[in-house]
Amino acid sequence: EATARERARAKAVGPRRSFMSFCPVPHTSRDQGWLVTGALLGASAALYARRLYAARSRGQTAKRHGGPTLASADPALYPYLLEKGTRPSEPLQELFAAVEREPRARMMGSPDEAHFLGWLVELMGAKRVLEVGVFRGSTTLALASALPQEGEVVALELNGDFCSTGRRYWDKAGVGGKIDLRLGPASESMRLLLAEGGGGSFDLVFIDANKADYDDYYEQALALLRRGGVVAVDNTLWGGRVLEAPAATADTAAIQAINDKLASDPRVSIVMLGIADGVTLCRKR
């Protein structure tokens, strides 16, 4: 019976395809290039998600960070992805290792996602980034390192104790001056940014905080974002729990609700990627 189930899963997943078959088309403009890349990666997301589901059914998922979709099927693939597909600085590598030794390490954004967001900052030519939810500051460091010297990350975090780890490595990397850390509830901090005249001033907003407040974060992010800017919403696959019907927790219901909203919001064009726990990129029209 187990063998029959495995054959059925293999048939549903289909033959293996090279990730490189989804490489972006060259010779696009800077503003269009990231959209082409995102769209092509998005085309692979459904295929990889099915493979992840099959791998989870066989108990072959990575223990840390959840692992990216296809790489979860083989424990050796994720380290290979990090080795060949990312170029973390020494301070960022040290911060990743330091966070792993801290409590709640699983809350840290995955290294490949941090690298992707930094790459996206460079591709967009972004100068002002808003991060909603900092935790230990590894993604903050990746974002700040990708910005030009005059760039700025406004980083919102409720718990200042979490940020103490990251601050040491921000300074070691020489980007501490680019990071404006604001402590307190993120929704209130975002309203204050709008009151300060920050509407339309951000190139990129990354949302990874209290799931119940995702809808509020998203609405305020759109107000703070320039036209053509991007909101990146994290955890949109939510460990597969987005498939629950009905949702078992309020957080799961909130993720399902924001996914439904993003799928039909005419104010943005979107692509959901199977990186880490799922990240949806929303370009403001």
Side-chain angles (χ1 to χ4, degrees):
E1 181 181 357
T3 302
R5 285 199 302 267
E6 290 299 322
R7 284 199 299 268
R9 289 193 190 104
K11 183 177 181 181
V13 169
R16 289 185 177 273
R17 295 181 64 185
S18 168
F19 187 81
M20 295 308 294
S21 67
F22 297 103
C23 281
V25 178
H27 308 307
T28 57
S29 68
R30 189 193 73 177
D31 289 340
Q32 292 176 332
W34 72 268
L35 282 175
V36 174
T37 303
L40 291 172
L41 284 171
S44 68
L47 172 67
Y48 292 168
R50 292 200 303 272
R51 288 177 179 163
L52 175 61
Y53 180 81
R56 279 184 172 151
S57 300
R58 297 190 298 271
Q60 293 179 349
T61 51
K63 293 182 178 180
R64 301 298 262 178
H65 308 305
T69 49
L70 178 59
S72 294
D74 186 330
L77 276 176
Y78 190 54
Y80 179 87
L81 182 154
L82 294 181
E83 179 185 357
K84 303 298 184 182
T86 67
R87 299 177 184 176
S89 65
E90 183 176 332
L92 184 54
Q93 287 179 304
E94 292 175 356
L95 178 53
F96 284 138
V99 175
E100 289 286 1
R101 297 190 292 269
E102 298 279 357
R104 304 184 186 180
R106 294 179 67 88
M107 290 173 57
M108 177 176 68
S110 66
D112 56 320
E113 183 181 31
H115 178 80
F116 170 74
L117 291 169
W119 177 86
L120 184 61
V121 165
E122 292 187 17
L123 187 60
M124 293 176 64
K127 293 185 178 179
R128 200 169 194 223
V129 174
L130 177 63
E131 183 183 25
V132 184
V134 173
F135 188 51
R136 304 288 185 189
S138 56
T139 303
T140 319
L141 176 52
L143 291 167
S145 298
L147 286 168
Q149 191 58 43
E150 70 276 16
E152 177 187 44
V153 178
V154 179
L156 310 182
E157 175 56 51
L158 180 63
N159 189 337
D161 291 339
F162 283 155
C163 307
S164 60
T165 303
R167 279 174 159 170
R168 298 195 300 271
Y169 296 93
W170 299 347
D171 292 336
K172 183 173 182 179
V175 299
K178 296 182 185 179
I179 300 170
D180 177 8
L181 178 63
R182 302 191 180 195
L183 300 177
S187 291
E188 294 180 11
S189 297
M190 294 174 84
R191 281 191 283 273
L192 182 59
L193 284 168
L194 287 169
E196 294 172 349
S201 67
F202 286 89
D203 302 297
L204 174 69
V205 180
F206 177 52
I207 297 174
D208 183 18
N210 183 24
K211 310 312 172 193
D213 291 326
Y214 260 31
D215 188 80
D216 183 53
Y217 298 153
Y218 173 68
E219 289 297 331
Q220 295 202 69
L222 285 183
L224 289 162
L225 202 65
R226 65 166 173 84
R227 186 175 181 181
V230 176
V231 181
V233 184
D234 201 24
N235 301 119
T236 50
L237 290 178
W238 199 229
R241 294 187 294 277
V242 288
L243 300 178
E244 291 178 355
T249 68
D251 281 351
T252 298
I255 295 293
Q256 290 173 335
I258 196 66
N259 284 345
D260 289 344
K261 181 172 185 172
L262 298 180
S264 59
D265 190 346
R267 298 171 295 175
V268 295
S269 57
I270 73 162
V271 59
M272 181 187 287
L273 304 181
I275 296 173
D277 196 23
V279 59
T280 301
L281 306 181
C282 314
R283 181 179 185 267
K284 182 177 177 180
R285 287 174 167 158

